[in-house]
Structure formats: C-alpha cells, structure tokens
Amino acid sequence: MLRRSRPPATGHTVAASLCTITLLTTVLSTGTAAAAHPALRVIATTTDGRAQPLAVETAHPRLGWQLSSSERDAEQRAYQIRVASSAADLTRGHADIWNSGQKKSDDSVGVTYDGPALPPGTRAYWQVRVWNEHGQPSAWSTPTYWESALGSTADWRGAQWIGASDTEAGAPLLRKDFTLDKKVTRARAYVSGLGFDELHLNGAKVGDHVLAQGAAPYDRRVLYDTYDVTKSLHKGDNTVGLWLGHGYGKNYNPYGFRWQGQRQAIMLLDVTYADGTHAKIATDPSWKWANGPITADDLYDGESYDARQEQPGWDTPRFDAHTWKNTVPVQAPTGALHANTMPPVRVTDTLTAVKVTQPRPGTYVYDFGQNIAGWARIGARGPAGTRITMRTAEELKGDGTLDTATNRDAAATDTFTLAGTGRPETYEPHFTYHGFRYLEVTGYPGTPHTADIQARVVHADVPSTGSFTSSSTLLNTIWRNNRQSILNNSMSTPTDTPVRDERTPPAMDVQAYRDASTREFGMDAFYANYLQDIPPGTALPSDDAKAQYPDMAGGQVSLAWTLYEQYGDRDALQSAYGDMKRFVDRNAADVPSLIWPEDKGFGDWCPPDHRPEANDGMGGPGAGQCFSEVSLVNTALSYDQARATANAAQALGHHDDSGHFTALAARIKDAFNAHFLNAAGDTYGSGRQVTSTLPLALGLVPDDHVKAVGEQLVRTIVDHDDSHLDTGIFGTRYLMDALARIGHVDLAMTMLNQRSYPGFAFEIDHGATTSWEQWLYSSSMETHDHAMFAGINTSLYTVLAGIQPDSPGYRDITIAPQIPVGLDHASTTQDTVRGRITSSWRKTRDKIELTVTIPANSHATVTVPLPAENARVHAPAEAQHANISDRTATYQVGSGTWTFTAH
C-alpha cells in the first residue's frame, strides 16, 4: 500500500487558507508597507537574459530575476520594478525613469520594461521587489543596470570606416593620439573591425575578447562590440589603437560568412567628464597605420608572427609614428551596424601537455589529452630570425607524428619568428584558431619543456548550466565528450567543426543537438543572434537550394520555439515568427502531398556504414554513407516544425494561426501514417531504427499502434542490429526518448554500453575526447570533433533525470526519472531562468531514493519510480499525493528540496 504523507484538508485548514488569501489580496491592493521578509530575496537580475549588459538595442528590454527562499513552497504573487538614472536614486527610493507600481503577477522572466525609450548610450539602473503568497514583501534587490546601444548612423557621431592606404596590407596597426583635458568619469568604446579586431588603449589590449567580432552575414548585419574603457583613460595624453586581421582567407568554404573586403574598422570613443560634458574620438582619415608583426593570418592556414617587426609602444602616447602613413576612408559594408549581444569568445582554459614525445630529432609532439578549439601559447629564447613552426591535428600516426587527414585542406600551421632580444619571448595567435589535441613543434631553439608550451581553449564564453554524473563511468564520459563538442563548435556562430576547412554555420547539426546545448549551457543570447544571422527559410551562402529543407533550414523554426520554452525569450520568438510561418506554409504549398521527396535533403545524416569498406569501424577513404531515410525524416521534422509554429502562434496570441498550424500538423501526421506505416501497423518505411524512433519520440504514432510499433522496434534493435546503434544524427538524438516511451530505457543503456562498432564507446576506446562526425574512425569525410551526435545528452536530463518544462521558462516542471537496470545512481542539475533544478536518485536492491530541488516560484509534478508493485513511499508531509500506478507514485510540490524513498 502507498503510505499517504499528507492528511486531507480540514475545515480549519481551509479557513486558514481563506484568511491567507484575504490578507494577500488586501496587501496587494493597498500596497501597505510591511517589513521585508527575511527568508525571501531577489537575486540573479538580468536584462534581456544578460547581467548588466552594455548594449541593449530594444527600447523595451526583458527584465528577469530569481527568488531565493529558505522556506518551501515560496511563490511570487506580485512585483514592483523601479528604474532610475543612478543607483543612489534607487537607494533613496526615487525612480525618475519608471516605476511599474505593484503588479499582481508571478512573472519573473521576460517582464517588459514599459518606461520611456532611453537615448543611445544611456545607463538605466533598476531593482525589483516581490510579494510572496502571504502578502509579505522581499527587500529590494541590489541595484543593477543596462545601457542602451547606439541606434542610427547619426549615433556614431561622424565615425568613418577607415583602412590602410595599401589595400593589400596584411594585419595593419591603426592608431590615434588624443588629449583629454578634464577628469574622466565614464568612457565607452564602440568598435567593429573586419574581419577581426583588437582594441588597444594606452599600451594595453582592451578586454579579454578574442576573435572579435567573428563571422556575420555582412550584407545584412555587421556587429560591433561595446567596451567600458573608463579605467583605461586619464586626463592628458592618450592613444587608441586598432589591430586588424582578416580571419577567413580567400579559400574559405563558400557555405559560410566571409568578409571579402580589405581590413577596415569603425570606432567611436565616447568620454564623459566629471562636469557632465563629453568628448568624442572617432575613426577618420587623421588616423595613422603601419604594418605589424603579423605577416599572414587565415583561420584555415594559421598565423605567421615575426617578432622582429614588432613596434613596441605603438599604442602609447610616447610612440614616434612619423613614418606611419595616413589611413583612408573605405566603403562601408552594406549591412547595418548592430550591437554584439552574444557571450564573447574568450580563452576559457589553459592546458598543459599530458605527454611530450620526440618522434624524430628536432620534432616535438605535445599531447594535451583533450580535443579542443583554440591555439598554442609558446615561450622561447633564441637568436633573431629563429623560426618556430607549430602544426596541429586531432590524431597521430603509428610512428607518433601528426595525422592531419581530418584537417583536410586546412594547413593549421602557426609560425613564430624570434626577435632575438636575449630574453624569453612569448607568442600566441591573434586572428586564427584550430581544432586539435596534438601539437607538433619544430625549429625550437634547444629542447622545449612542458611548461614552455600550453594549449589555450577558446570558444564563446557561455555559462555552464547543466551537470550530470552517474554510477557509469562510460556514460559520464559520453556526456563529457558531447559537452566539449558543443563548446568547441560554439564560436561567434555555431560551426560544423573547428578542425577542417569549413567552420560554417551547421543548421542541420544544431537542429539535432539544440535541446542538449540549451540544457548544458546558457545559449539564449548565442542562439538569438544565430537566428538573426539565419532566420527560418534562409539559406547558407551559396546554398539556396537547401533554404526550404526541413532537415536544414527548418531547424531554425524549432530553435525559435526552444528559446521560448527554455528561456522564456519572447523577443526571439516574435522576431522569428513571421519567417516560421512562411517556411512551414511554403513547404505545405510546395509539397501538397505533405510527404517530403527522397531527393531533397539529408535525412538521418551519417548512420553507421555496414559495408565491407567500414572495416569493423576503422573505415578508410571509401567508407561512409551519410544520406539515410530522407523522405521519412524530413516529413517527420516538418510535422515537428508545424507544431512548433502552432505553439508559437498560441504563445504570441495569434489564435487563428494556432488553429491553422495545429490543423496542418494533424494533416501531416495523417499523411505520414498513410504513406509510411505498413499494413500490419508495426513498421514505418524500411524498418531501420530511425523510421520508428522519430515517430515514437515526436508523437506521430497513433495511440493504438504505439505498442506494436514499439515491440517491432525492439525486435529490430535486438535481433537485426545486435543491440547496437544504427542511427544517424536525428535517430541518435531521439533514441532514448523513443525507447523510454515504450518502457525500454534498459535497452537504450545496453546500446550505449556497446564497446564494438558502432557506438560512443567504440569512439572512446579509440581515444575520442569529443564526438565524431561519423561512427567510423576514418572515412571520405571525417573529423573527430563534431557536435551533431551530441543531441543524446538531452535524454540524460529529460529521461534519466526526468526533468521537463511543463510551461515556458520552467514555471511548471515535471520530474519523472526512468531508472534503467544496471545504473545504480544518477545526479543531474539544470540551472534555469528561474533557478536550479536538481534530480538525483540512488537505487539499491529493494529501495529507490529520489531527491529533487525546485526553484522558488516554480511548481513540480514529481513521479517517483517504485522498485516493485505495491511498494511503500515515504514522502515529505507537505508533498501532495496525486496518484499511484503499479510502478510509480506521483506528487505535487512547490519550491525547496524534497526526498522521496520508495521501499
């Protein structure tokens, strides 16, 4: 019998509840002053999902906060926001810009600032307080701020695009001396350099951004960075410098964004003096330029740096620039300037080699133990003109030298020529990066030591929001490898790989792993920018034919909904909505049968190759067959995209549209089953794993066929595929979801545990520290750092931990873990916009203990797995028992930490 943990409500408790409601209504309606509740705090305030952003383009940004409470069941019933010109004004209770007044609402995510639009470059300070379910207020949050971005061209105050007078100049240095005649209290620099730039002030690089601003569709959008440079300036003489790099060279893959003009820049330095007056320093032809020590730079080929050509002090006022030449005005890009709102690309870690070998005299190979995106930092001392060469690769040949096969045509080579100063000289690239684990060093003067060379890990500095650990070392490694693959392929845009000569936006890949990445990392701003670069129905450059493929450009439709579901990002959804509608409607019109053709798309891209060429997984030049089940997969994805558009319409209040797209999704479902489901009602299409995995996971299988389809899928996996994976990127993403739906999560674990080809464990046993592009070690198209198979990480959160949002932004949550045989423990955390969710369970022979944490101002339905039928559950007294089945017991809980023990 299930032991009830909470007595039924009595007349006394009902009366008490009515009193509480009456008190709350009175307090909220009158705004009566009350002491701040000591257990309730407002924390983690954000503007447009960012903490203290310096460049907010919208006039009405989204404000958000989290609640912290030491008490269970903490809820927000009202809030008040006030916005002022200074933090001091807020401290005095003065809101001279906007005061929302007391609003009865539990919204704490995506709350719209409804005050007046701010002039460009203006800082607004804000804070919020809330009232709980008992009508008790919190203290006001610590004041925070946002700054408005530059808007029109006029806001740039005459700043011009300038460049070197020699259009063939490599990586030119640009400089300008200027004098500030008063005390500086505030200064902002707005800068865009094409293709890459570094901003310098008074002898130092500004900030820690690297590879700024990165790639963008320059015909439509050009990004600029905003820096707080107040501490870099002073009264008197100052110097500003810009160092420009090209980045993607002439041989850049045609499917990506490449700046094809000369290196050029625009910059505005806005200085505020103590007396409130301003000084403006902007790019114009009065700036000077000269060549610097970077003699070549290309993302694929690498960077060449000659320290003999350094110009020490070039970015300081005391530098003699009489030999420098005048810059010239250059044609502006056709795209409009927009504030860069993404997490900046940064050096996020520094690795020391785990092993150094010398396969040939004078050739040193450093093994950093991990496949990364980034570059090497080297220190050396030697004669002037000593040329050190550094090459990178993911793998080694049998003789210990680099195996550069996966680099393809990317030379991935950096060179450092010493100046011969007699002192240690240090170098790391400025305008290139590589994907690698191994570094080959030749030409080093003497014998390098481990400490002389490190690997610098580089990617968009997105915050980590997820963690997973379990009793399976293998499963933990799969999770870690997939996470690293996502990071390595998150630069200024998602990339297909950091290794070879592509690094282009992989719309299809992101569609397969977006659900994983948005749980692992804070990707809202990153993906919102990506949606601006490639809205739904927009092709990659030179790739117009794929603009309407559901498996390619259609991923942007579902991505826009994901940002709303995960982060409550209504702005991104609203911005993409028109394109979502057009994409889905056009496909329905162009394919009136609603069954996608077999010859247009990729399908379940890169499933295992079972031909002799696969060579038991080791592959070779002729191995690899990537197209798979194109018609079925694209039709299933088109159904998912129609549903996402229906959901978006409903969320945005377009109810007629919601009905239209809901009906279209139903028509696609009917057409899908009529076309692909066999007469026996248990198999779709060819019967390969993906043909049933996608329909089961996406809800395409009619309810009365789920059992038959599920049983046949299990037979296919066990009998035909020997309990191995036989899926590409979409089948792998949804595999565990599909098997969990039919009660076979145990089989999913069996498949993941397989150490023979194909599978993640096969990759790991062959040295993988990131996920591969194909299940094969070697093929006609292969890198060992692709994120497209990382999508299965989603299921570690949603199936094994059981964490799912029931409403956008995790206001309502389901936690329903499924516990497979052979796994004794799993613990997961997920930081959401409302706070941290945890789901941790431990299983023994006759007991399951589940502990969950729910953030304040959220509610959860917790389903506890039972170790046997009629098991007893010990639950906290405040947990409301909802129902019980043979193998689960369900409870309703509010915020706090809750432990359930099933015996």
Side-chain angles (χ1 to χ4, degrees):
M1 293 292 292
L2 178 74
R3 185 170 64 203
R4 288 184 175 269
S5 303
R6 184 169 184 161
T10 64
H12 175 76
T13 58
V14 170
S17 299
L18 289 173
C19 289
T20 297
I21 294 171
T22 302
L23 173 63
L24 175 64
T25 303
T26 301
V27 171
L28 296 189
S29 60
T30 62
T32 302
H37 192 287
L40 183 65
R41 294 189 304 126
V42 179
I43 61 172
T45 49
T46 60
T47 304
D48 281 349
R50 297 176 287 152
Q52 301 178 340
L54 293 183
V56 173
E57 287 199 317
T58 178
H60 300 284
R62 296 174 289 116
L63 307 181
W65 56 89
Q66 295 176 11
L67 303 184
S68 173
S69 176
S70 58
E71 298 177 347
R72 277 181 174 164
D73 298 322
E75 297 181 14
Q76 171 189 307
R77 295 295 175 84
Y79 68 81
Q80 181 182 7
I81 299 168
R82 55 190 185 192
V83 184
S85 302
S86 70
D89 281 336
L90 292 179
T91 301
R92 293 192 297 268
H94 179 50
D96 61 325
I97 296 179
W98 181 62
N99 191 328
S100 70
Q102 203 173 54
K103 298 290 185 182
K104 296 180 183 179
S105 172
D106 65 354
D107 287 340
S108 58
V109 175
V111 178
T112 302
Y113 161 71
D114 202 24
L118 303 178
T122 299
R123 174 176 288 191
Y125 291 84
W126 72 280
Q127 60 183 176
V128 59
R129 65 174 172 174
V130 304
W131 283 261
N132 68 9
E133 67 277 14
H134 303 298
Q136 299 166 309
S138 71
W140 286 98
S141 65
T142 301
T144 186
Y145 60 83
W146 81 87
E147 289 185 13
S148 54
L150 302 185
S152 65
T153 303
D155 296 336
W156 285 83
R157 305 297 180 91
Q160 302 176 50
W161 284 96
I162 61 171
S165 54
D166 178 1
T167 59
E168 299 301 318
L173 306 172
L174 282 60
R175 70 183 309 277
K176 172 73 174 180
D177 293 325
F178 61 97
T179 301
L180 300 175
D181 55 9
K182 304 175 187 177
K183 181 181 178 181
V184 176
T185 58
R186 180 176 179 270
R188 298 290 178 268
Y190 307 93
V191 57
S192 179
L194 303 177
F196 293 140
D197 71 68
E198 282 187 10
L199 175 65
H200 289 240
L201 277 170
N202 293 327
K205 177 185 170 183
V206 173
D208 56 2
H209 301 192
V210 297
L211 301 177
Q213 290 73 42
Y218 301 105
D219 60 328
R220 292 184 285 115
R221 306 176 70 236
V222 177
L223 302 180
Y224 68 87
D225 280 329
T226 304
Y227 298 95
D228 182 347
V229 294
T230 307
K231 294 181 180 180
S232 299
L233 298 175
H234 51 257
K235 182 179 179 181
D237 294 335
N238 295 265
T239 300
V240 58
L242 286 168
W243 196 347
L244 303 182
H246 205 189
Y248 294 99
K250 293 180 179 179
N251 296 322
Y252 182 40
N253 188 288
Y255 300 140
F257 306 125
R258 179 172 76 87
W259 173 246
Q260 301 190 58
Q262 75 174 92
R263 294 152 175 81
Q264 61 188 67
I266 188 171
M267 192 215 70
L268 172 66
L269 187 59
D270 183 0
V271 180
T272 304
Y273 292 129
D275 62 4
T277 59
H278 286 255
K280 308 286 184 183
I281 296 89
T283 45
D284 61 27
S286 68
W287 285 53
K288 302 289 186 178
W289 80 273
N291 284 312
I294 295 177
T295 58
D297 69 290
D298 183 291
L299 279 192
Y300 296 157
D301 293 338
E303 184 175 287
S304 296
Y305 187 97
D306 189 341
R308 295 171 300 178
Q309 298 185 38
E310 288 179 342
Q311 302 213 33
W314 71 275
D315 50 3
T316 64
R318 294 170 296 281
F319 180 74
D320 181 2
H322 78 275
T323 62
W324 286 41
K325 303 173 184 177
N326 290 330
T327 59
V328 296
V330 298
Q331 185 174 355
T334 56
L337 281 162
H338 287 277
N340 186 2
T341 58
M342 292 182 294
V345 177
R346 289 190 172 104
V347 174
T348 63
D349 200 2
T350 301
L351 305 181
T352 300
V354 297
K355 185 178 182 182
V356 182
T357 59
Q358 189 177 184
R360 289 194 296 257
T363 298
Y364 301 92
V365 174
Y366 282 65
D367 176 4
F368 293 103
Q370 173 66 57
N371 221 5
I372 66 166
W375 53 71
R377 179 175 64 187
I378 186 168
R381 177 163 49 190
T386 301
R387 191 170 187 260
I388 304 170
T389 300
M390 296 170 285
R391 293 197 306 147
T392 62
E394 296 182 291
E395 302 291 347
L396 297 180
K397 296 178 181 178
D399 63 359
T401 61
L402 295 190
D403 181 351
T404 60
T406 60
N407 291 359
R408 205 161 63 182
D409 290 334
T413 302
D414 301 321
T415 63
F416 176 34
T417 302
L418 300 182
T421 61
R423 301 182 302 275
E425 301 179 49
T426 303
Y427 163 72
E428 59 185 295
H430 296 252
F431 302 128
T432 191
Y433 78 96
H434 314 292
F436 68 102
R437 171 176 173 172
Y438 300 98
L439 176 75
E440 176 195 86
V441 179
T442 57
Y444 193 91
T447 302
H449 300 289
T450 302
D452 293 325
I453 302 172
Q454 298 90 34
R456 304 277 269 170
V457 181
V458 177
H459 53 74
D461 194 11
V462 292
S464 175
T465 55
S467 70
F468 173 84
T469 187
S470 74
S471 56
S472 167
T473 301
L474 174 59
L475 192 60
N476 298 342
T477 304
I478 293 171
W479 169 76
R480 185 171 57 250
N481 284 7
N482 287 337
R483 259 176 74 95
Q484 190 64 47
S485 296
I486 293 170
L487 285 176
N488 291 350
N489 284 286
S490 298
M491 302 302 281
S492 60
T493 183
T495 62
D496 49 1
T497 171
V499 181
R500 66 169 178 245
D501 51 340
E502 287 189 16
R503 310 179 206 182
T504 58
M508 183 170 63
D509 297 11
V510 172
Q511 184 168 197
Y513 71 78
R514 69 169 189 274
D515 294 324
S517 59
T518 52
R519 285 163 171 82
E520 299 285 9
F521 306 105
M523 302 295 285
D524 185 16
F526 182 84
Y527 280 146
N529 179 79
Y530 178 49
L531 278 170
Q532 292 291 321
D533 286 347
I534 309 179
T538 302
L540 293 175
S542 306
D543 211 19
D544 289 344
K546 302 179 183 68
Q548 287 296 131
Y549 288 5
D551 57 14
M552 183 62 76
Q556 307 301 77
V557 173
S558 43
L559 178 60
W561 174 251
T562 296
L563 296 187
Y564 183 65
E565 179 184 61
Q566 292 295 310
Y567 305 112
D569 191 342
R570 188 182 181 90
D571 289 350
L573 188 66
Q574 181 68 63
S575 178
Y577 179 65
D579 291 315
M580 295 168 70
K581 288 175 52 179
R582 282 187 287 273
F583 180 87
V584 174
D585 275 338
R586 178 176 170 182
N587 276 352
D590 289 351
V591 186
S593 69
L594 304 179
I595 302 300
W596 196 258
E598 188 66 37
D599 62 346
K600 292 184 178 180
F602 299 83
D604 194 26
W605 186 241
C606 292
D609 185 351
H610 297 297
R611 300 174 305 150
E613 289 87 343
N615 189 23
D616 293 327
M618 297 310 294
Q625 290 183 316
C626 278
F627 293 91
S628 174
E629 307 293 342
V630 173
S631 177
L632 184 144
V633 169
N634 273 285
T635 304
L637 293 176
S638 70
Y639 167 74
D640 191 53
Q641 290 151 19
R643 286 195 308 170
T645 307
N647 290 337
Q650 184 67 28
L652 297 173
H654 305 303
H655 302 299
D656 289 345
D657 284 354
S658 179
H660 164 69
F661 290 108
T662 299
L664 175 58
R667 287 171 49 216
I668 296 173
K669 181 176 180 177
D670 290 343
F672 182 90
N673 284 289
H675 185 81
F676 292 109
L677 187 60
N678 69 355
D682 63 1
T683 302
Y684 286 93
S686 71
R688 198 166 188 174
Q689 288 180 23
V690 70
T691 65
S692 293
T693 295
L694 254 64
L696 283 168
L698 298 180
L700 279 158
V701 183
D703 292 343
D704 57 345
H705 288 273
V706 168
K707 184 174 184 294
V709 171
E711 289 175 349
Q712 180 56 43
L713 173 61
V714 170
R715 285 192 292 271
T716 297
I717 293 171
V718 175
D719 298 337
H720 185 271
D721 299 322
D722 194 26
S723 298
H724 281 68
L725 292 162
D726 186 40
T727 49
I729 61 175
F730 294 112
T732 303
R733 155 64 185 96
Y734 290 107
L735 176 74
M736 189 179 288
D737 294 1
L739 290 175
R741 184 183 178 193
I742 58 175
H744 282 277
V745 69
D746 296 347
L747 179 56
M749 287 301 302
T750 298
M751 298 169 77
L752 291 178
N753 284 331
Q754 296 286 3
R755 306 208 82 95
S756 54
Y757 171 80
F760 289 107
F762 175 81
E763 297 179 2
I764 291 165
D765 287 347
H766 285 83
T769 60
T770 45
S771 52
W772 296 353
E773 183 177 17
Q774 299 195 49
W775 297 114
L776 298 161
Y777 181 86
S778 175
S779 75
S780 57
M781 180 188 67
E782 179 66 82
T783 66
H784 290 166
D785 195 351
H786 244 70
M788 64 188 190
F789 278 104
I792 198 166
N793 270 27
T794 313
S795 303
L796 306 183
Y797 292 86
T798 62
V799 174
L800 295 186
I803 302 171
Q804 293 271 20
D806 281 343
S807 60
Y810 291 87
R811 173 188 276 111
D812 302 293
I813 306 160
T814 286
I815 299 184
Q818 295 204 31
I819 301 179
V821 171
L823 200 64
D824 299 325
H825 167 67
S827 182
T828 306
T829 68
Q830 186 181 339
D831 293 333
T832 74
V833 287
R834 287 178 174 252
R836 174 165 291 185
I837 302 171
T838 67
S839 172
S840 179
W841 53 260
R842 187 173 297 277
K843 176 182 63 176
T844 59
R845 185 176 61 83
D846 60 353
K847 183 175 73 173
I848 293 174
E849 183 177 273
L850 171 66
T851 299
V852 303
T853 300
I854 309 302
N857 206 31
S858 289
H859 307 85
T861 301
V862 180
T863 298
V864 183
L866 304 181
E869 292 183 18
N870 299 320
R872 294 187 306 158
V873 178
H874 176 72
E878 302 90 341
Q880 298 180 12
H881 170 230
N883 58 61
I884 186 172
S885 68
D886 289 342
R887 297 306 297 263
T888 62
T890 302
Y891 297 84
Q892 303 289 338
V893 300
S895 66
T897 297
W898 310 80
T899 297
F900 303 85
T901 305
H903 298 271

